[in-house]
Amino acid sequence: MVDPRILVRKYHEEADMITKDITKMINTCLEYADDIANKPESKYPRNSRMSLRNLLKDDMLTFFGYLYDPASDDIEAQVNFINRNLGIIITVQNFKRFVADRCKPENFLKSVPQSLMYFVADDTSPASKRTGYGIALSRYLISCFNDAGVEFVAYGGISDREANRLAKYINMMSEYVKSFNVYGSETLNSDSDKVSFGRKNTDRNHGYNHDVNSGYNDDRISFGGGINRNSGRPGSAGDAFADPDAIRGRALDTAPGSSRNEKSLEELQEELNSMIGLEKVKTNIASLVNLIKVKTMRDKLGFKTPDISLHLVFSGNPGTGKTTVARLLAKIYHQLGVVSHGQLVEVDRAGLVEGYVGQTAIKTSEVIDSAMGGVLFIDEAYTLTGQKESEDFGQEAVDTLLKRMEDNRDDLVVIVAGYTKEMNKFINSNPGLKSRFNKFIEFPDYTGDEMYQIFTGMCNSHDYNLDKEADAHVKEYLADLAQNHGENFANAREVRNYFERSIERQASRVVKEPLIDASSLTTFKLADVME
């Protein structure tokens, strides 16, 4: 294994243009990525939602994550190096989380960076006619990775662990490129009878493995269909590449009903259970799922089973997750075979009621038609009845709804939602409603601790963090808000609004600072979170 402190200059010596400016090297590679992606003969997908430039940035970020040693002397300097050279903003906290989630050491030496593949594709394309160092952009890209890696680890003091990782990774990249005969050749062989995508000696083992049968599962790179399942090496030129949108979970949308676009019942239940708070809600939904499962098994065995109503009343204050749970439940119902599609159609009084005789029934029926095969979610359903106006057509909507629920009971579920007191009154106002809606699920207000978890979750998902004083204040403020709130308290919506106001205050503070860095842009201080 070559020591990276020797390897650091190796590729520069082979290039005609030598530079020690890491930022300039990275920018040069990013510019070439733009050039490669825009060529008519480029292998890069035209409809990709991720540019080759950003794919290269992502590959370099994961490379730095792979090199990172938790025992590093100065992680803040390393993160500043990343932000400065990649033109991104990532905090120390988020970088650590990124490393834990995405940078598994055992995965990295089994797949080369996706961006390097497109550089190689361009190098080996007969259409590429370059002079000077540009005859092998892949070689220059490896040099860039190597030099940037050495400088990155140098901030924390180069440990044996980091040196070994860097050397192994650069050697892996080099072996991959050498397999295409890019090194040492001023002219690339374009004879399609002898060369597949610029590769020679394809029977050799090049030290890298993309065998889809090996049991190795890496979400960094997802190869397309062109895998030789016997050799474990990429097949033809075009097949060797993955769709960049599928990398790291960025899958393209598929048509409704496609299995690729659907989560399993277990995944949906796990998503529900991961929601903050709502323990009684989760228990009620789990009981309902079990009831449906047992009924299905009894039906298959020919046992008599009583009809069960799957229509629900969600009661509670605003911002307690009623719509989110309804959306998940629609998909759960679909997985259980209760409905055929699993979409959620959300509507309120304005979406059902018109101001003229006969028009409300038509409008309500159209909404119900759109919800067929899924769940119709009526928010603030109590507003459909009990209006003081002499000519109110809300009752017409209710009558139409009840009839369609009966006619389409095999493929339509209705969930009505609103304040607890008002929903009780609404259901009891009509015998038809009372007979069809006999399951109530109460959504309690969030506690102060739960609202604090929601706030910090918003911070994490938007690349913000709290300093010590701000963290203590947010926890105290939300605990007080949970105990002493007004009549129109909106739970998670209150937290979201508080978070957005904090962002505004932080922005107003930061723009006045003489020196703005990544830490300034991502840290909430006490003044930012004080109402």
Side-chain angles (χ1 to χ4, degrees):
M1 188 61 62
V2 181
D3 191 304
R5 280 155 284 207
I6 299 173
L7 198 65
V8 64
R9 296 273 74 89
K10 176 183 177 183
Y11 297 107
H12 282 323
E13 291 169 358
E14 295 176 355
D16 292 334
M17 185 182 79
I18 301 177
T19 177
K20 296 182 180 180
D21 187 334
I22 301 299
T23 303
K24 187 174 181 179
M25 290 183 71
I26 291 175
N27 285 335
T28 298
C29 289
L30 293 174
E31 289 169 6
Y32 274 113
D34 292 336
D35 178 62
I36 290 169
N38 291 328
K39 289 183 177 180
E41 69 275 11
S42 175
K43 299 289 184 181
Y44 201 75
R46 296 291 177 187
N47 61 347
S48 175
R49 292 175 296 187
M50 175 191 268
S51 67
L52 183 53
R53 167 184 282 261
N54 286 337
L55 179 61
L56 175 53
K57 284 187 179 184
D58 200 48
D59 281 335
M60 294 204 79
L61 179 61
T62 51
F63 170 61
F64 293 137
Y66 161 73
L67 296 178
Y68 169 65
D69 187 343
S72 171
D73 292 338
D74 195 352
I75 183 176
E76 188 168 342
Q78 290 179 312
V79 170
N80 287 338
F81 170 82
I82 292 172
N83 289 331
R84 181 173 67 254
N85 287 285
L86 296 186
I88 64 174
I89 296 174
I90 188 169
T91 64
V92 170
Q93 178 184 0
N94 286 336
F95 179 67
K96 287 182 176 179
R97 188 168 68 245
F98 177 86
V99 171
D101 292 343
R102 291 264 302 275
C103 305
K104 309 298 183 186
E106 63 274 13
N107 293 347
F108 271 76
L109 300 180
K110 296 183 180 180
S111 52
V112 299
Q114 185 82 4
S115 53
L116 177 61
M117 294 182 177
Y118 290 101
F119 273 65
V120 170
D122 189 69
D123 271 335
T124 55
S125 169
S128 294
K129 297 178 181 179
R130 303 191 184 96
T131 58
Y133 82 94
I135 197 169
L137 295 185
S138 328
R139 177 172 54 185
Y140 189 73
L141 182 63
I142 294 175
S143 178
C144 180
F145 266 78
N146 183 78
D147 284 23
V150 170
E151 187 158 334
F152 171 78
V153 298
Y155 279 104
I158 301 179
S159 65
D160 290 340
R161 172 186 175 279
E162 291 169 324
N164 288 332
R165 282 194 177 184
L166 177 57
K168 288 178 180 178
Y169 196 79
I170 297 302
N171 275 309
M172 178 267 291
M173 293 176 70
S174 302
E175 288 301 312
Y176 175 80
V177 175
K178 284 179 182 178
S179 70
F180 290 88
N181 197 37
V182 173
Y183 285 122
S185 174
E186 291 293 316
T187 58
L188 298 171
N189 190 338
S190 60
D191 185 348
S192 59
D193 292 331
K194 297 180 180 179
V195 182
S196 173
F197 194 45
R199 183 194 298 271
K200 289 185 177 180
N201 302 322
T202 54
D203 292 333
R204 286 166 35 201
N205 183 346
H206 300 299
Y208 58 91
N209 177 25
H210 300 305
D211 188 350
V212 294
N213 293 323
S214 67
Y216 165 64
N217 181 16
D218 182 9
D219 64 357
R220 292 183 65 251
I221 298 178
S222 173
F223 284 87
I227 303 294
N228 184 329
R229 293 178 183 269
N230 296 319
S231 69
R233 293 190 292 271
S236 66
D239 290 337
F241 296 97
D243 179 353
D245 286 317
I247 297 171
R248 301 167 180 86
R250 295 182 179 90
L252 290 168
D253 294 334
T254 55
S258 164
S259 60
R260 177 182 171 186
N261 204 35
E262 292 182 357
K263 294 182 179 180
S264 67
L265 177 60
E266 291 72 20
E267 289 173 324
L268 292 167
Q269 288 182 293
E270 183 178 345
E271 187 174 344
L272 174 65
N273 291 331
S274 69
M275 292 179 66
I276 295 170
L278 305 178
E279 298 309 319
K280 290 185 178 180
V281 174
K282 296 170 187 175
T283 300
N284 284 327
I285 297 296
S287 297
L288 182 60
V289 168
N290 292 336
L291 181 64
I292 296 170
K293 285 181 176 179
V294 170
K295 182 181 184 304
T296 301
M297 288 187 282
R298 287 177 60 88
D299 288 341
K300 287 182 178 179
L301 293 173
F303 295 129
K304 294 180 180 180
T305 54
D307 289 334
I308 58 174
S309 176
L310 300 177
H311 308 299
L312 299 168
V313 179
F314 283 2
S315 58
N317 289 327
T320 48
K322 294 188 289 294
T323 305
T324 302
V325 172
R327 206 169 280 127
L328 282 171
L329 188 57
K331 296 175 182 177
I332 288 172
Y333 274 165
H334 176 44
Q335 290 298 326
L336 290 169
V338 173
V339 292
S340 58
H341 291 91
Q343 80 279 17
L344 181 85
V345 175
E346 184 182 355
V347 72
D348 57 13
R349 176 186 166 88
L352 299 173
V353 178
E354 283 289 1
Y356 302 96
V357 175
Q359 294 299 310
T360 292
I362 295 173
K363 188 173 185 178
T364 301
S365 288
E366 289 174 348
V367 172
I368 294 172
D369 288 340
S370 68
M372 287 299 301
V375 172
L376 176 62
F377 181 80
I378 306 176
D379 198 15
E380 297 182 338
Y382 54 85
T383 60
L384 293 173
T385 60
Q387 301 295 314
K388 296 181 179 178
E389 292 82 358
S390 58
E391 291 189 0
D392 177 65
F393 300 103
Q395 188 59 50
E396 186 179 347
V398 172
D399 294 340
T400 303
L401 178 66
L402 290 174
K403 185 178 186 305
R404 291 293 302 272
M405 288 170 67
E406 181 63 26
D407 294 343
N408 305 112
R409 58 188 175 189
D410 293 333
D411 205 18
L412 174 69
V413 172
V414 179
I415 299 175
V416 291
Y419 291 103
T420 302
K421 182 178 178 181
E422 285 81 353
M423 289 306 297
N424 284 327
K425 186 176 180 180
F426 169 67
I427 297 300
N428 289 313
S429 68
N430 185 309
L433 290 171
K434 192 171 184 179
S435 64
R436 288 171 177 81
F437 293 98
N438 53 21
K439 286 187 176 63
F440 285 70
I441 296 181
E442 178 72 22
F443 285 69
D445 288 339
Y446 287 110
T447 66
D449 182 61
E450 288 167 349
M451 289 197 293
Y452 170 74
Q453 292 179 54
I454 293 171
F455 187 92
T456 54
M458 290 177 177
C459 288
N460 290 333
S461 62
H462 292 86
D463 291 329
Y464 285 95
N465 59 79
L466 298 153
D467 71 13
K468 189 174 181 180
E469 287 184 324
D471 184 81
H473 178 80
V474 168
K475 187 176 293 187
E476 182 180 350
Y477 170 75
L478 293 175
D480 181 69
L481 185 63
Q483 293 293 325
N484 306 295
H485 55 73
E487 186 177 339
N488 298 318
F489 180 60
N491 289 279
R493 293 178 198 169
E494 298 279 359
V495 179
R496 183 182 62 204
N497 292 337
Y498 175 44
F499 175 71
E500 291 175 354
R501 291 194 297 271
S502 298
I503 291 176
E504 292 175 4
R505 285 189 289 264
Q506 190 249 22
S508 297
R509 174 182 59 79
V510 167
V511 295
K512 298 175 184 177
E513 294 182 354
L515 178 63
I516 301 175
D517 57 13
S519 179
S520 302
L521 292 169
T522 56
T523 302
F524 283 138
K525 295 187 176 181
L526 180 59
D528 304 329
V529 297
M530 290 187 69
E531 290 288 272

